[in-house]
Amino acid sequence: MERRRRIGAYGIAHDEQGRLLLVRSSARSNFPGVWFLPGGGLEHGEDPAQAVVREFREETGLVAEIAGLREVTSDLVEFPWRDVLLHHDRIIYDMTVTGGELTVETDGTSDLPQWIERERLASLDLIPFAAHTLGLDTAGRASSRRPQTPDTAGEVGPDGRDLGGARKVARFGAYGVVTDPAGRVLLSLIAENYPGAGKWHLPGGGTDFGETPAVGLVREIFEESAQVGEVTELLRVNSNHNPAAMGPEGEPYDWYVVRAVFRVRVPEPTVPSVTEAAGGSTAQARWFTPAELGSIPLTDSAYRELRHIS
């Protein structure tokens, strides 16, 4: 079975009566008639925050703005009729509707937006990730059903192959602001021949297929530093798009990465050592006091996350 990955952004919005905004999947989707949270897949290079606002407008006709970041999660969806197993990374925001009118999307993967009373949710056929996010039972929901029509809207997601010119590569990563009881900060030095070589970066990296962001981050921290971390809080999600990146073998990439940044605590710190296989992107790892952060070369993303404690 072919493995694919997809990154999506979704939103939770309520009206003044406390009703939840949902959209129904159309005949063009993989699961017609099933309800889900407004949102969908990110376009290559698109910021997740912009994507969820765009998807809200396209699927519901409503103008919305982000009120907060709720969670970052992942799940596996099997499409046996296409011999595809999809790993879906999902960024879920709380949204506030500021304008517009409910409008049916034409020729899309949804065919009905609707405000739903809380007591009706248990009786709806919800896509499993939406049911899980809303705290509802996910047993017997739509992931096991075959669609009535072939998928025509690309909902299985891009395969990441060469589409002409530089190869388009999308990556979902989890990174940590990692501290110990003494207030020191753990950082990883980027190895030669990797973008940002010679700079200190937040520990973390791309999540593996089937891995949740928090689990992937704990694994990455151990591989880069031999430290055992505890993820305590989701801080933010950001993205970076470099259409002219170069890989370690000198191959050009249209590089797009979405990063979930967490706060991580290491209760029993040790002397850091790199445990990942030779040839990885981490040259070394070290603990730094806040006073030392201002005198070392940091990546832009590490600087943004650490400037408030340096």
Side-chain angles (χ1 to χ4, degrees):
M1 181 170 285
E2 182 182 358
R3 294 184 171 190
R4 296 188 186 180
R5 294 191 66 160
R6 185 172 187 256
I7 306 172
Y10 302 84
I12 294 177
H14 294 87
D15 67 2
E16 294 178 352
Q17 288 76 46
R19 297 177 300 177
L20 175 71
L21 183 62
L22 294 177
V23 290
R24 188 179 66 187
S25 300
S26 72
R28 296 189 65 204
S29 73
N30 286 298
F31 303 107
V34 174
W35 294 84
F36 62 98
L37 297 172
L42 276 58
E43 297 176 359
H44 190 81
E46 187 177 28
D47 184 85
Q50 296 175 348
V52 71
V53 171
R54 171 183 59 78
E55 288 281 349
F56 249 74
R57 187 64 180 264
E58 292 175 357
E59 293 179 347
T60 71
L62 298 176
V63 179
E65 60 185 28
I66 293 175
L69 176 63
R70 175 167 292 214
E71 67 175 314
V72 177
T73 186
S74 65
D75 55 80
L76 294 175
V77 181
E78 188 173 345
F79 300 88
W81 57 93
R82 300 192 63 171
D83 199 33
V84 168
L85 181 62
L86 176 67
H87 172 122
H88 202 144
D89 295 298
R90 304 185 194 265
I91 305 157
I92 302 171
Y93 296 93
D94 288 307
M95 307 293 292
T96 300
V97 174
T98 59
E101 296 182 1
L102 281 182
T103 305
V104 174
E105 183 181 23
T106 59
D107 298 325
T109 56
S110 67
D111 61 12
L112 179 64
Q114 192 171 102
W115 293 103
I116 305 292
E117 294 80 5
R118 179 74 189 185
E119 55 268 23
R120 288 184 55 199
L121 293 177
S123 63
L124 291 181
D125 193 2
L126 282 169
I127 205 75
F129 97 86
H132 175 78
T133 299
L134 298 171
L136 301 172
D137 182 18
T138 59
R141 295 197 182 269
S143 62
S144 62
R145 292 220 313 266
R146 179 169 179 156
Q148 300 168 12
T149 58
D151 171 52
T152 59
E155 285 297 296
V156 164
D159 59 13
R161 292 174 186 156
D162 191 352
L163 303 179
R167 183 186 180 196
K168 289 187 176 181
V169 178
R171 187 188 197 199
F172 186 89
Y175 294 82
V177 176
V178 184
T179 58
D180 70 358
R184 296 181 302 172
V185 177
L186 181 68
L187 294 175
S188 300
L189 182 66
I190 301 176
E192 293 183 6
N193 299 320
Y194 284 87
K199 293 185 178 181
W200 293 92
H201 192 45
L202 298 179
T207 57
D208 288 344
F209 191 91
E211 201 172 43
T212 63
V215 169
L217 177 55
V218 171
R219 173 188 53 78
E220 285 281 346
I221 291 171
F222 185 79
E223 290 177 354
E224 294 179 6
S225 67
Q227 307 300 295
V228 178
E230 300 173 352
V231 176
T232 62
E233 180 186 3
L234 174 63
L235 296 175
R236 62 191 55 82
V237 172
N238 57 49
S239 66
N240 183 60
H241 181 213
N242 183 359
M246 298 295 292
E249 294 81 24
E251 181 181 359
Y253 288 98
D254 183 347
W255 182 258
Y256 170 50
V257 59
V258 176
R259 303 185 184 95
V261 182
F262 296 85
R263 191 180 305 279
V264 181
R265 176 177 177 270
V266 176
E268 299 180 3
T270 62
V271 177
S273 63
V274 179
T275 66
E276 63 183 338
S281 60
T282 301
Q284 61 173 294
R286 279 181 55 190
W287 289 105
F288 292 91
T289 65
E292 293 174 315
L293 295 177
S295 61
I296 61 174
L298 296 170
T299 63
D300 290 342
S301 59
Y303 174 78
R304 286 194 301 269
E305 298 298 334
L306 299 175
R307 59 186 173 183
H308 64 288
I309 61 174
S310 61

mmCIF file of all heavy atoms in Angstrom, residues 38-62:
data_model
loop_
_atom_site.group_PDB
_atom_site.id
_atom_site.type_symbol
_atom_site.label_atom_id
_atom_site.label_comp_id
_atom_site.label_asym_id
_atom_site.label_seq_id
_atom_site.Cartn_x
_atom_site.Cartn_y
_atom_site.Cartn_z
ATOM 1 N N PRO A 38 -14.831 22.918 9.058
ATOM 2 C CA PRO A 38 -14.371 23.677 7.895
ATOM 3 C C PRO A 38 -12.845 23.701 7.842
ATOM 4 O O PRO A 38 -12.177 23.923 8.846
ATOM 5 C CB PRO A 38 -14.940 25.075 8.152
ATOM 6 C CG PRO A 38 -16.095 24.856 9.070
ATOM 7 C CD PRO A 38 -15.710 23.700 9.941
ATOM 8 N N GLY A 39 -12.320 23.480 6.664
ATOM 9 C CA GLY A 39 -10.869 23.460 6.488
ATOM 10 C C GLY A 39 -10.475 22.479 5.418
ATOM 11 O O GLY A 39 -11.318 21.866 4.756
ATOM 12 N N GLY A 40 -9.173 22.310 5.240
ATOM 13 C CA GLY A 40 -8.694 21.385 4.226
ATOM 14 C C GLY A 40 -7.193 21.476 4.049
ATOM 15 O O GLY A 40 -6.483 22.070 4.869
ATOM 16 N N GLY A 41 -6.727 20.887 2.971
ATOM 17 C CA GLY A 41 -5.302 20.798 2.725
ATOM 18 C C GLY A 41 -4.659 22.132 2.400
ATOM 19 O O GLY A 41 -5.258 23.004 1.759
ATOM 20 N N LEU A 42 -3.406 22.269 2.855
ATOM 21 C CA LEU A 42 -2.635 23.476 2.555
ATOM 22 C C LEU A 42 -2.091 23.398 1.138
ATOM 23 O O LEU A 42 -1.662 22.339 0.681
ATOM 24 C CB LEU A 42 -1.465 23.612 3.529
ATOM 25 C CG LEU A 42 -1.703 24.262 4.887
ATOM 26 C CD1 LEU A 42 -2.781 23.535 5.689
ATOM 27 C CD2 LEU A 42 -0.400 24.327 5.673
ATOM 28 N N GLU A 43 -2.110 24.510 0.456
ATOM 29 C CA GLU A 43 -1.425 24.602 -0.822
ATOM 30 C C GLU A 43 0.079 24.698 -0.562
ATOM 31 O O GLU A 43 0.509 25.144 0.500
ATOM 32 C CB GLU A 43 -1.925 25.817 -1.594
ATOM 33 C CG GLU A 43 -3.413 25.729 -1.944
ATOM 34 C CD GLU A 43 -3.936 26.982 -2.627
ATOM 35 O OE1 GLU A 43 -3.136 27.930 -2.802
ATOM 36 O OE2 GLU A 43 -5.125 27.024 -2.965
ATOM 37 N N HIS A 44 0.876 24.244 -1.528
ATOM 38 C CA HIS A 44 2.330 24.229 -1.326
ATOM 39 C C HIS A 44 2.839 25.647 -1.066
ATOM 40 O O HIS A 44 2.620 26.559 -1.851
ATOM 41 C CB HIS A 44 3.026 23.643 -2.554
ATOM 42 C CG HIS A 44 4.480 23.386 -2.334
ATOM 43 N ND1 HIS A 44 4.946 22.257 -1.678
ATOM 44 C CD2 HIS A 44 5.586 24.101 -2.672
ATOM 45 C CE1 HIS A 44 6.258 22.290 -1.629
ATOM 46 N NE2 HIS A 44 6.668 23.400 -2.216
ATOM 47 N N GLY A 45 3.502 25.822 0.082
ATOM 48 C CA GLY A 45 4.049 27.113 0.456
ATOM 49 C C GLY A 45 3.098 28.008 1.228
ATOM 50 O O GLY A 45 3.479 29.107 1.641
ATOM 51 N N GLU A 46 1.870 27.559 1.475
ATOM 52 C CA GLU A 46 0.868 28.389 2.128
ATOM 53 C C GLU A 46 1.019 28.346 3.648
ATOM 54 O O GLU A 46 1.214 27.280 4.231
ATOM 55 C CB GLU A 46 -0.524 27.911 1.732
ATOM 56 C CG GLU A 46 -1.667 28.786 2.206
ATOM 57 C CD GLU A 46 -3.018 28.296 1.710
ATOM 58 O OE1 GLU A 46 -3.158 27.074 1.472
ATOM 59 O OE2 GLU A 46 -3.914 29.129 1.546
ATOM 60 N N ASP A 47 0.876 29.507 4.283
ATOM 61 C CA ASP A 47 0.904 29.560 5.730
ATOM 62 C C ASP A 47 -0.388 28.953 6.280
ATOM 63 O O ASP A 47 -1.478 29.251 5.780
ATOM 64 C CB ASP A 47 1.038 31.005 6.202
ATOM 65 C CG ASP A 47 1.173 31.096 7.704
ATOM 66 O OD1 ASP A 47 2.298 30.962 8.206
ATOM 67 O OD2 ASP A 47 0.136 31.289 8.374
ATOM 68 N N PRO A 48 -0.307 28.089 7.304
ATOM 69 C CA PRO A 48 -1.523 27.453 7.828
ATOM 70 C C PRO A 48 -2.587 28.434 8.277
ATOM 71 O O PRO A 48 -3.784 28.194 8.088
ATOM 72 C CB PRO A 48 -0.993 26.619 9.004
ATOM 73 C CG PRO A 48 0.436 26.359 8.681
ATOM 74 C CD PRO A 48 0.907 27.580 7.961
ATOM 75 N N ALA A 49 -2.181 29.549 8.884
ATOM 76 C CA ALA A 49 -3.150 30.536 9.342
ATOM 77 C C ALA A 49 -3.911 31.152 8.171
ATOM 78 O O ALA A 49 -5.111 31.439 8.266
ATOM 79 C CB ALA A 49 -2.455 31.619 10.156
ATOM 80 N N GLN A 50 -3.243 31.369 7.066
ATOM 81 C CA GLN A 50 -3.917 31.896 5.883
ATOM 82 C C GLN A 50 -4.796 30.826 5.248
ATOM 83 O O GLN A 50 -5.885 31.123 4.733
ATOM 84 C CB GLN A 50 -2.880 32.400 4.880
ATOM 85 C CG GLN A 50 -2.063 33.581 5.382
ATOM 86 C CD GLN A 50 -0.961 33.981 4.407
ATOM 87 O OE1 GLN A 50 -0.650 33.261 3.467
ATOM 88 N NE2 GLN A 50 -0.371 35.143 4.659
ATOM 89 N N ALA A 51 -4.346 29.572 5.321
ATOM 90 C CA ALA A 51 -5.098 28.487 4.703
ATOM 91 C C ALA A 51 -6.449 28.292 5.378
ATOM 92 O O ALA A 51 -7.468 28.089 4.697
ATOM 93 C CB ALA A 51 -4.289 27.194 4.760
ATOM 94 N N VAL A 52 -6.502 28.328 6.706
ATOM 95 C CA VAL A 52 -7.765 28.080 7.381
ATOM 96 C C VAL A 52 -8.769 29.203 7.104
ATOM 97 O O VAL A 52 -9.968 28.950 6.940
ATOM 98 C CB VAL A 52 -7.556 27.861 8.900
ATOM 99 C CG1 VAL A 52 -7.166 29.151 9.613
ATOM 100 C CG2 VAL A 52 -8.784 27.235 9.527
ATOM 101 N N VAL A 53 -8.299 30.432 7.001
ATOM 102 C CA VAL A 53 -9.183 31.549 6.656
ATOM 103 C C VAL A 53 -9.709 31.379 5.235
ATOM 104 O O VAL A 53 -10.909 31.600 4.967
ATOM 105 C CB VAL A 53 -8.438 32.885 6.816
ATOM 106 C CG1 VAL A 53 -9.267 34.038 6.257
ATOM 107 C CG2 VAL A 53 -8.101 33.135 8.288
ATOM 108 N N ARG A 54 -8.816 30.997 4.316
ATOM 109 C CA ARG A 54 -9.231 30.755 2.925
ATOM 110 C C ARG A 54 -10.260 29.645 2.844
ATOM 111 O O ARG A 54 -11.285 29.776 2.163
ATOM 112 C CB ARG A 54 -8.011 30.410 2.068
ATOM 113 C CG ARG A 54 -8.364 29.927 0.657
ATOM 114 C CD ARG A 54 -7.141 29.521 -0.129
ATOM 115 N NE ARG A 54 -6.376 28.455 0.508
ATOM 116 C CZ ARG A 54 -6.725 27.168 0.483
ATOM 117 N NH1 ARG A 54 -7.855 26.787 -0.106
ATOM 118 N NH2 ARG A 54 -5.963 26.264 1.073
ATOM 119 N N GLU A 55 -10.003 28.520 3.531
ATOM 120 C CA GLU A 55 -10.909 27.381 3.478
ATOM 121 C C GLU A 55 -12.281 27.738 4.057
ATOM 122 O O GLU A 55 -13.315 27.299 3.550
ATOM 123 C CB GLU A 55 -10.304 26.198 4.228
ATOM 124 C CG GLU A 55 -9.127 25.533 3.519
ATOM 125 C CD GLU A 55 -9.578 24.608 2.402
ATOM 126 O OE1 GLU A 55 -10.791 24.329 2.307
ATOM 127 O OE2 GLU A 55 -8.726 24.166 1.628
ATOM 128 N N PHE A 56 -12.296 28.510 5.132
ATOM 129 C CA PHE A 56 -13.570 28.947 5.707
ATOM 130 C C PHE A 56 -14.397 29.705 4.668
ATOM 131 O O PHE A 56 -15.599 29.466 4.509
ATOM 132 C CB PHE A 56 -13.307 29.842 6.923
ATOM 133 C CG PHE A 56 -13.699 29.216 8.229
ATOM 134 C CD1 PHE A 56 -12.928 28.205 8.777
ATOM 135 C CD2 PHE A 56 -14.825 29.630 8.899
ATOM 136 C CE1 PHE A 56 -13.279 27.620 9.989
ATOM 137 C CE2 PHE A 56 -15.182 29.066 10.116
ATOM 138 C CZ PHE A 56 -14.416 28.047 10.667
ATOM 139 N N ARG A 57 -13.749 30.614 3.972
ATOM 140 C CA ARG A 57 -14.469 31.438 2.987
ATOM 141 C C ARG A 57 -14.966 30.567 1.832
ATOM 142 O O ARG A 57 -16.126 30.718 1.375
ATOM 143 C CB ARG A 57 -13.549 32.551 2.469
ATOM 144 C CG ARG A 57 -14.246 33.566 1.574
ATOM 145 C CD ARG A 57 -15.314 34.322 2.326
ATOM 146 N NE ARG A 57 -15.995 35.312 1.496
ATOM 147 C CZ ARG A 57 -15.666 36.597 1.462
ATOM 148 N NH1 ARG A 57 -14.668 37.047 2.209
ATOM 149 N NH2 ARG A 57 -16.331 37.437 0.713
ATOM 150 N N GLU A 58 -14.126 29.651 1.350
ATOM 151 C CA GLU A 58 -14.502 28.813 0.214
ATOM 152 C C GLU A 58 -15.637 27.856 0.552
ATOM 153 O O GLU A 58 -16.533 27.633 -0.268
ATOM 154 C CB GLU A 58 -13.289 28.027 -0.280
ATOM 155 C CG GLU A 58 -12.213 28.879 -0.910
ATOM 156 C CD GLU A 58 -10.964 28.085 -1.275
ATOM 157 O OE1 GLU A 58 -10.921 26.861 -0.984
ATOM 158 O OE2 GLU A 58 -10.031 28.673 -1.852
ATOM 159 N N GLU A 59 -15.610 27.271 1.742
ATOM 160 C CA GLU A 59 -16.556 26.212 2.090
ATOM 161 C C GLU A 59 -17.852 26.722 2.719
ATOM 162 O O GLU A 59 -18.876 26.029 2.665
ATOM 163 C CB GLU A 59 -15.895 25.211 3.034
ATOM 164 C CG GLU A 59 -14.768 24.420 2.389
ATOM 165 C CD GLU A 59 -14.093 23.455 3.339
ATOM 166 O OE1 GLU A 59 -14.323 23.563 4.563
ATOM 167 O OE2 GLU A 59 -13.340 22.599 2.863
ATOM 168 N N THR A 60 -17.803 27.899 3.326
ATOM 169 C CA THR A 60 -18.983 28.387 4.052
ATOM 170 C C THR A 60 -19.477 29.752 3.599
ATOM 171 O O THR A 60 -20.596 30.136 3.937
ATOM 172 C CB THR A 60 -18.691 28.473 5.562
ATOM 173 O OG1 THR A 60 -17.784 29.566 5.813
ATOM 174 C CG2 THR A 60 -18.090 27.175 6.084
ATOM 175 N N GLY A 61 -18.645 30.510 2.883
ATOM 176 C CA GLY A 61 -19.002 31.870 2.523
ATOM 177 C C GLY A 61 -18.767 32.872 3.627
ATOM 178 O O GLY A 61 -19.021 34.075 3.452
ATOM 179 N N LEU A 62 -18.280 32.426 4.774
ATOM 180 C CA LEU A 62 -18.095 33.299 5.926
ATOM 181 C C LEU A 62 -16.667 33.813 6.024
ATOM 182 O O LEU A 62 -15.705 33.105 5.687
ATOM 183 C CB LEU A 62 -18.452 32.555 7.210
ATOM 184 C CG LEU A 62 -19.907 32.068 7.323
ATOM 185 C CD1 LEU A 62 -20.096 31.264 8.604
ATOM 186 C CD2 LEU A 62 -20.887 33.237 7.274
#
